[in-house]
Amino acid sequence: MRVISGTCKGRPLKAVPGNQTRPTTDKVKETIFNVIGPYFTGGLGLDLFAGSGGLGIEALSRGLDKVIFVDRDMKAIQTIKGNLALCRLDERSEVFRNDAERALKAIIKRELQFTYIFLDPPYNKQKLHLLLQIIEENKLLCKEGFIICEHGVDVKLPIEIGSILQRKSDDFGSIGLTIYTKSDRN
């Protein structure tokens, strides 16, 4: 695993020990950032099932101002902090150990809105539809923002959830990728 592009290009990233997490492949990561970027002039990101922090770190490397990393596993939290330190991105990030729904409740209380939200939950425990509803109902995505969902290919997400509209859906072997933006109507 490595940072593909930006200020930290080529920096190696450590994986979370064990087999509980599945890092995003370089091919999928490249596709994601070609659709939503490839580079940014600021913005706030949320990496909700952060694992090693690879997606959020890639976004910071490509120009996001700040990313909030959330994972419920202590090994993942330690790995994220280590990877952020390796890339010297500690000051542009917040790292929290929490489950996704509770983390979103805390974010709602802070009245934050995100430019980029990365959702890459464990494939066998996905609640993407519920999480997308929470994000939409609480206006956590800013008008020009993107929600990036990585999931199993057997998962079919809705075309539209309130003001959030599916812009791209693709499969990469066993990996499904669905990207949402705000609808032009809203």
Side-chain angles (χ1 to χ4, degrees):
M1 263 191 343
R2 65 189 171 89
V3 179
I4 295 173
S5 193
T7 58
C8 300
K9 180 180 180 176
R11 289 242 173 88
L13 298 175
K14 292 184 169 83
V16 179
N19 60 359
Q20 298 297 312
T21 62
R22 159 200 31 76
T24 301
T25 66
D26 282 358
K27 182 178 180 179
V28 173
K29 198 186 300 185
E30 194 66 48
T31 298
I32 289 169
F33 287 96
N34 282 340
V35 171
I36 68 170
Y39 299 99
F40 313 115
T41 53
L44 177 62
L46 173 63
D47 196 346
L48 195 54
F49 298 86
S52 65
L55 287 173
I57 289 170
E58 187 74 36
L60 286 168
S61 178
R62 291 173 183 247
L64 277 193
D65 293 322
K66 184 177 188 175
V67 173
I68 296 174
F69 296 85
V70 178
D71 203 289
R72 65 182 184 155
D73 181 70
M74 190 48 148
K75 289 179 188 171
I77 295 299
Q78 292 166 341
T79 303
I80 295 163
K81 288 180 178 180
N83 284 335
L84 286 166
L86 281 170
C87 295
R88 297 186 185 103
L89 295 170
D90 319 63
E91 293 182 15
R92 294 173 46 205
S93 61
E94 294 178 28
V95 182
F96 298 101
R97 182 176 181 211
N98 211 337
D99 70 56
E101 289 175 63
R102 287 190 13 221
L104 287 176
K105 286 179 186 174
I107 286 166
I108 292 163
K109 286 180 185 174
R110 290 175 67 182
E111 298 181 3
L112 296 175
Q113 270 197 323
F114 297 92
T115 319
Y116 302 95
I117 300 175
F118 300 96
L119 302 175
D120 184 9
Y123 287 176
N124 60 347
K125 297 180 182 175
Q126 294 197 352
K127 296 181 182 178
L128 283 171
H129 194 276
L130 171 67
L131 297 174
L132 289 166
Q133 283 182 311
I134 293 169
I135 290 166
E136 197 280 329
E137 287 169 4
N138 293 282
K139 299 176 179 25
L140 299 182
L141 185 68
C142 66
K143 185 177 180 182
E144 60 283 344
F146 288 87
I147 302 171
I148 300 90
C149 303
E150 191 176 327
H151 50 81
V153 291
D154 57 326
V155 174
K156 299 300 176 217
L157 295 173
I159 299 293
E160 196 169 358
I161 298 176
S163 65
I164 298 172
L165 183 66
Q166 193 179 114
R167 294 292 180 185
K168 180 171 181 63
S169 184
D170 220 338
D171 293 342
F172 300 85
S174 63
I175 300 167
L177 179 65
T178 305
I179 298 176
Y180 289 91
T181 59
K182 286 281 207 176
S183 169
D184 295 335
R185 297 188 311 256
N186 301 312

